Amino acid sequence: RKSGKMFVPSNTSGEIPDCPEIPPDLSPLNVHYIPNITYIKIVSQNPNVGPGGHGKPEGCKARQKVALIIPFRDRDSHLRNWLYYMHPFLKAQQADYGIYVVEQSEGSMFNRAKLMNVGYVLASNDYDYNCFIFTDVDIIPMDQRNLYRCSSNPKHMANALDKFNFILPYPNLFGGIVAFTKEQFTKVNGFSNMFWGWGGEDDELYQRVVAVGMKVERPDLIIARARMISHNRDAGNEETGKSVHLIFKASQRMYKDGLNTLNYTIIGITGHKLFTKITVDVGTEQ
Ligand code: UDH
């Protein structure tokens, strides 16, 4: 041979095959809240998880790269439970993923939506993600067949919570857990930054999705079953009653309020063993 190259049969070329579309052996799970679960135990049970809370399938290439974004403040036991269940869950789903806990600094009214936007921007800078799952810290899926992946439309994944007897309480609910590809999320300019305190930002995001002509997908009600850890309303996240007029004008404001107007100050980024923590000052209501 003139080139001097060896002939290498394709099946030994070192290329990793794609993972199957549907991972094997997925099943329903028994999920219950464990108040005293420790980080040490979760770390020891998940030796495959890399620094910053990254996981990758072994022996095959995942079809999507998924960032999980969690808005957070002062919910440590919920976070421990979420991590305890979710690392094995994502491993079973052969996911290529990273977990980002976006913590709002003390002293200002909670702004869940802005934390989601910050998580999206920082996760995008960290790795080549093409799917973003925005999830509350207190919702844990009860069936491995509920694939934490993106679809051809934005996906609402908290449609069968135990809290609501495993049904969708109102048709346009878009809260709790939503999945967007990069294209879908940038098309709606992300979440609004203007929702301080509890409620409304999820309904406003739904209005954006509809306004740009996308539809919402939801998993089957059986496989979407999920536990929500019950808790009281947090201090600093009261309902203000201001959200209704913002939701009403979502489509008019969409390109003037969102990813393109996001401002924040990073206080710190720490790569823990089970997640990346981003502590951020998102400012206060103007
Ligand atoms: N979150 C925090 N810290 C806070 C507030 C909110 O981490 O102080 C995050 C957390 O990820 C949470 C999410 O924001 O899951 C949504 O906030 P939430 O759980 O307060 O909202 P939800 O609608 O519950 O799920 C409302 C509380 C109703 C209490 C009713 C008492 N029976």
Side-chain angles (χ1 to χ4, degrees):
R1 294 186 185 91
K2 278 185 191 156
S3 71
K5 279 187 188 153
M6 294 261 291
F7 172 69
V8 183
S10 60
N11 62 350
T12 59
S13 66
E15 270 190 30
I16 307 172
D18 284 345
C19 296
E21 184 79 59
I22 308 289
D25 306 324
L26 300 181
S27 62
L29 296 171
N30 188 6
V31 174
H32 53 276
Y33 177 53
I34 311 166
N36 53 359
I37 190 81
T38 64
Y39 285 111
I40 291 170
K41 181 156 187 194
I42 308 168
V43 169
S44 73
Q45 289 180 345
N46 294 280
N48 58 303
V49 174
H54 293 269
K56 248 186 179 185
E58 283 159 22
C60 68
K61 195 168 147 232
R63 287 160 190 263
Q64 296 188 9
K65 293 176 180 166
V66 184
L68 293 110
I69 316 279
I70 303 176
F72 185 83
R73 186 160 71 185
D74 196 19
R75 292 279 193 99
D76 191 60
S77 74
H78 293 191
L79 179 59
R80 280 184 273 115
N81 274 262
W82 192 90
L83 295 164
Y84 172 77
Y85 286 108
M86 290 311 290
H87 277 299
F89 180 93
L90 293 162
K91 183 176 195 282
Q93 294 193 350
Q94 298 179 316
D96 182 350
Y97 69 94
I99 291 170
Y100 298 84
V101 174
V102 191
E103 178 186 53
Q104 184 170 336
S105 55
E106 291 300 324
S108 54
M109 191 76 126
F110 200 66
N111 189 328
R112 177 178 178 272
K114 214 169 167 185
L115 296 173
M116 300 300 204
N117 283 342
V118 171
Y120 169 83
V121 171
L122 274 92
S124 299
N125 293 340
D126 196 30
Y127 190 56
D128 186 20
Y129 294 110
N130 47 24
C131 175
F132 298 82
I133 300 192
F134 301 95
T135 174
D136 285 354
V137 73
D138 51 13
I139 303 179
I140 300 170
M142 295 165 65
D143 196 317
Q144 295 170 329
R145 294 172 297 177
N146 184 7
L147 295 180
Y148 270 50
R149 290 194 198 155
C150 287
S151 287
S152 48
N153 284 292
K155 192 162 74 164
H156 176 233
M157 300 173 66
N159 54 327
L161 299 180
D162 57 351
K163 174 179 176 175
F164 300 126
N165 293 321
F166 303 109
I167 59 159
L168 191 64
Y170 64 97
N172 298 344
L173 177 67
F174 201 52
I177 314 170
V178 291
F180 282 76
T181 63
K182 202 175 197 60
E183 291 70 31
Q184 291 160 0
F185 199 62
T186 49
K187 199 169 177 183
V188 297
N189 196 22
F191 277 87
S192 165
N193 299 309
M194 296 173 68
F195 285 74
W196 301 90
W198 183 88
E201 78 296 340
D202 47 355
D203 297 319
E204 204 270 5
L205 184 63
Y206 178 83
Q207 294 303 325
R208 291 177 181 229
V209 167
V210 172
V212 297
M214 294 192 289
K215 290 195 165 61
V216 166
E217 289 182 27
R218 291 191 176 88
D220 175 274
L221 278 178
I222 296 295
I223 67 165
R225 285 176 167 239
R227 279 253 184 269
M228 188 164 162
I229 304 168
S230 67
H231 61 88
N232 295 323
R233 177 127 339 143
D234 308 83
N237 194 27
E238 292 78 15
E239 191 171 0
T240 64
K242 291 186 194 164
S243 66
V244 175
H245 78 280
L246 289 173
I247 299 167
F248 190 58
K249 297 211 166 141
S251 61
Q252 292 167 38
R253 223 185 35 256
M254 180 163 52
Y255 300 113
K256 292 181 280 192
D257 164 27
L259 289 175
N260 66 350
T261 57
L262 179 63
N263 55 51
Y264 57 89
T265 307
I266 297 294
I267 309 282
I269 303 180
T270 319
H272 291 266
K273 284 196 169 140
L274 298 166
F275 59 94
T276 298
K277 189 174 205 177
I278 299 161
T279 304
V280 60
D281 178 354
V282 293
T284 50
E285 187 169 9
Q286 296 303 309

